Amino acid sequence: MTESSVASFYDEFSTRLIRDYVHGNRRVDAQLAFSIGAIPPAARRILIVGSGCGYEARRMAQRASADSTILAIDISSTNIARARQLQPHPRVEHRQADILADTIEPPWDVILLPDVYEHIPTEDRPTLHKVLHRLLADRGSLVLTLPSPRLQAYLKEQGQGLQVVDETVTHTDLAALAGDVGGVMTYFKLVSVWSVNDYMHVIIEREPDGFDPACAQTEAPIRHWRSDTWERRLWNALLSRSGIRRLQRWQRRRQVARRLGPAPEVMDPPGD
Ligand SMILES: C[S@@+](CC[C@H](N)C(=O)[O-])C[C@H]1O[C@@H](n2cnc3c(N)ncnc32)[C@H](O)[C@@H]1O
């Protein structure tokens, strides 16, 4: 798989990401709630790898410290162009870059891979791990969301829903990533988005405070995380029952049409 074929796949896929933004997507909602909760208040430099059309980067900038900066990179130039038009924020730089090939300046307090690690070919993982090792600050953390092996097995069986590169990633693979970046997996949780245990939410930290690495691979969830509170679940349930979601869809549809031009396939509700 060449870099350009991956980039052109995601240039095409960009419409799907815009559609997710307009109509909402439970996977993205869960990813955002987790990732925002996982950003330590002290984080000043945040790198998002595979930032898509920029929604997460802008939300992250709104919630992270006011003197933080965010670099949002994506291999697809279409995604990056759309992110700049649709989700501009003074503290976010959207940059077209391939994490495996392009030089990015370290260090980063937090590096997020939101549904991206599984799209890196297995044979390129050693390269990716070396890059992440170089980019991560001494006390930095990696935050990942990705499909569980169970979901990947189901998609492979169905023969649909998989992207150009869509690998299976196991808990063991994530522990290897932690080791390769000189960190420990301090959080691992199977999350149910569309079906039971279909996603994994993970935090890998370098030098975590007061944390016993000996426990890291045996307990799950390894640490309680605040994004998973009953208040958040109640708020989401209320939101989905109110008219707010419909209002939000209408407002986003207008925003996309104004900034990117009306695209019928984006305005239609998702068919899958
Ligand atoms: C499944 S999409 C996820 C997009 C967004 N983070 C989300 O959760 O909706 C994977 C993203 O990773 C990007 N990507 C894939 N390989 C990449 C690479 N080698 N370097 C940078 N970005 C990459 C794709 O262009 C795409 O936007």
Side-chain angles (χ1 to χ4, degrees), residues 68-90:
S68 62
T69 52
I70 295 181
L71 173 62
I73 66 160
D74 201 283
I75 197 167
S76 153
S77 54
T78 304
N79 279 348
I80 291 298
R82 288 180 168 172
R84 286 182 186 139
Q85 285 171 287
L86 196 60
Q87 311 283 359
H89 189 282

Side-chain angles (χ1 to χ4, degrees), residues 31-228:
Q31 176 199 93
L32 257 174
F34 166 65
S35 309
I36 286 171
I39 302 288
R44 293 293 176 273
R45 283 172 55 82
I46 300 167
L47 172 66
I48 305 180
V49 178
S51 49
C53 291
Y55 175 51
E56 180 166 47
R58 184 175 57 80
R59 288 292 308 276
M60 207 53 80
Q62 288 166 340
R63 299 295 294 272
S65 161
D67 57 353
S68 62
T69 52
I70 295 181
L71 173 62
I73 66 160
D74 201 283
I75 197 167
S76 153
S77 54
T78 304
N79 279 348
I80 291 298
R82 288 180 168 172
R84 286 182 186 139
Q85 285 171 287
L86 196 60
Q87 311 283 359
H89 189 282
R91 285 185 288 105
V92 178
E93 180 193 347
H94 295 285
R95 187 190 299 175
Q96 193 269 327
D98 177 353
I99 186 68
L100 296 170
D102 294 309
T103 305
I104 294 157
E105 57 288 359
W108 297 93
D109 300 320
V110 179
I111 303 178
L112 292 134
L113 292 105
D115 287 75
V116 174
Y117 188 85
E118 71 278 20
H119 301 304
I120 301 296
T122 307
E123 64 269 23
D124 289 332
R125 281 183 197 165
T127 308
L128 176 67
H129 294 189
K130 272 194 202 113
V131 170
L132 294 174
H133 185 279
R134 187 180 67 83
L135 292 179
L136 201 58
D138 289 346
R139 295 176 64 84
S141 46
L142 293 182
V143 177
L144 301 99
T145 58
L146 63 172
S148 66
R150 181 192 175 124
L151 175 60
Q152 295 301 71
Y154 172 76
L155 294 177
K156 278 178 188 151
E157 196 184 295
Q158 297 293 306
Q160 57 183 28
L162 289 166
Q163 295 169 32
V164 61
V165 175
D166 222 325
E167 309 283 11
T168 298
V169 183
T170 63
H171 184 277
T172 309
D173 297 328
L174 294 164
L177 166 64
D180 285 351
V181 299
V184 285
M185 204 191 315
T186 54
Y187 185 85
F188 174 90
K189 188 170 188 193
L190 283 166
V191 178
S192 303
V193 176
W194 310 107
S195 60
V196 175
N197 291 346
D198 54 353
Y199 278 86
M200 303 187 284
H201 288 179
V202 178
I203 301 174
I204 290 168
E205 291 177 76
R206 267 185 181 165
E207 297 187 32
D209 285 326
F211 187 76
D212 178 2
C215 302
Q217 313 312 333
T218 54
E219 292 170 29
I222 300 164
R223 264 185 190 182
H224 176 71
W225 212 262
R226 70 190 161 92
S227 70
D228 202 23

